[in-house]
Amino acid sequence: MNWDLLEPIFIIVSIDLILGGDNAVVIALASRNLPKHQRNKAIFLGTGLAIAARVLLTTVALYLLHIPFLRLIGGILLLYIAIKLLTDTDDTQHIKSSDNLFTAVKTIVFADIVMGFDNVLAIAGASHGEVLLVIIGLLISVPIIIFGSRFILLLMDKFPILIYIGAGILAFTAGEMILEDRRIITYLEPNSIIHYIFPAFVVLLTIAFGYLMNKKTQTA
């Protein structure tokens, strides 16, 4: 176990915890009208299927990101997601509850797939092409998300700086993704200092932009 292995796992788990807070909201909303004896079934079955779908989608994304310029595009999209995390409002209001187990499970799975695009893209970038790291990261973070996501959401509401830390992690991953694009890396390889400066610059720019946007919204 060395830092080269631990760093991507740490980033993947952090991304899951920051972006996975919505999963708790989806699960709670989709299953709240079920009888008590069916709620746990809906939670575990829906979450299990959603995780399987996420691993599959992330694996597909890993292979797609080998195509020239797709890492560049993915990095730019991830920057947008980081800024959206800082400035956007709740996007779970359209999730409907159900009193039917199958319908609740279906809602959890499909909502997770639609809302999980940011997770898939971020984790694909952070894993550096290693599917095993994706699986390890999910195995660590998923139990925390299932049992502790409400606490995570509470902490994020109470300490908004955690949102900025999460956005910073996404921005750092985006910066690394851009530098790892097959066409770009050929020009940057000799100048290794850029590999440290650019992600840090992207983090500072993203956090500053999000902060200014939030200030503007508050004073409007």
Side-chain angles (χ1 to χ4, degrees), residues 51-107:
I51 291 164
R54 186 168 294 188
V55 171
L56 180 63
L57 289 172
T58 306
T59 304
V60 172
L62 287 174
Y63 288 104
L64 289 177
L65 287 176
H66 287 294
I67 300 171
F69 295 118
L70 276 189
R71 279 189 176 268
L72 172 63
I73 295 167
I76 293 169
L77 280 173
L78 197 53
L79 273 179
Y80 168 75
I81 291 165
I83 292 169
K84 190 169 176 283
L85 176 67
L86 287 173
T87 60
D88 208 18
T89 54
D90 183 27
D91 61 350
T92 60
Q93 56 191 355
H94 62 285
I95 305 298
K96 295 180 180 178
S97 61
S98 173
D99 56 3
N100 178 275
L101 178 63
F102 174 76
T103 306
V105 169
K106 185 178 70 172
T107 301

Side-chain angles (χ1 to χ4, degrees), residues 65 70-76 78 121-122 124-126 128 170-182 184:
L65 287 176
L70 276 189
R71 279 189 176 268
L72 172 63
I73 295 167
I76 293 169
L78 197 53
L121 183 60
H128 304 293
L170 290 177
F172 180 82
T173 304
E176 286 197 326
M177 279 180 71
I178 291 169
L179 291 179
E180 287 172 357
D181 188 273
R182 285 174 60 187
I184 291 175

